[in-house]
Amino acid sequence: MDNTELYQKTKQLLRQLNYFIVHVVVYFIVNVSIILMIFQDIRGRWGLLFPVVLWALALIYHGLRIYGINVFSNKNKKHIWSWF
């Protein structure tokens, strides 16, 4: 692998990492406002937690993809389940 190819791969990985960081920041900003709205009237708004949980799963998937782990690939299933 020459320096140009290594530079391009590093640049692409850093760009993906920056997108992931923005994704995490937006997740926390939006979900803090949703959680605050839920706790103003806790009896009727438990359904708003559903998008928070789904978005958390999408965020976990995004993070795993950044590190090169494909959850749906048979090759990595043993590695992923070893964490549990």
Side-chain angles (χ1 to χ4, degrees), residues 12-26 59 62 66:
Q12 180 184 7
L13 181 62
L14 287 175
R15 187 177 309 126
Q16 289 175 354
L17 189 59
N18 285 337
Y19 290 150
F20 179 69
I21 291 170
V22 169
H23 191 181
V24 169
V25 169
V26 170
L59 190 64
H62 187 181
I66 292 291

Side-chain angles (χ1 to χ4, degrees), residues 39-78:
F39 284 115
Q40 286 177 357
D41 181 21
I42 202 164
R43 288 173 286 164
R45 296 193 176 157
W46 282 103
L48 290 176
L49 282 177
F50 186 68
V52 173
V53 171
L54 286 179
W55 196 354
L57 293 174
L59 190 64
I60 290 169
Y61 178 73
H62 187 181
L64 289 173
R65 293 289 296 186
I66 292 291
Y67 288 103
I69 299 172
N70 187 357
V71 179
F72 300 112
S73 171
N74 288 332
K75 185 173 92 172
N76 295 322
K77 284 191 180 180
K78 185 177 180 183

Side-chain angles (χ1 to χ4, degrees), residues 2-3 6 8 21 24 33-34 37 44 49 56 67-68 70 72 77 79-80:
D2 62 339
N3 287 339
L6 182 63
Q8 291 301 324
I21 291 170
V24 169
S33 63
I34 289 175
M37 189 171 40
L49 282 177
Y67 288 103
N70 187 357
F72 300 112
K77 284 191 180 180
H79 177 67
I80 291 171

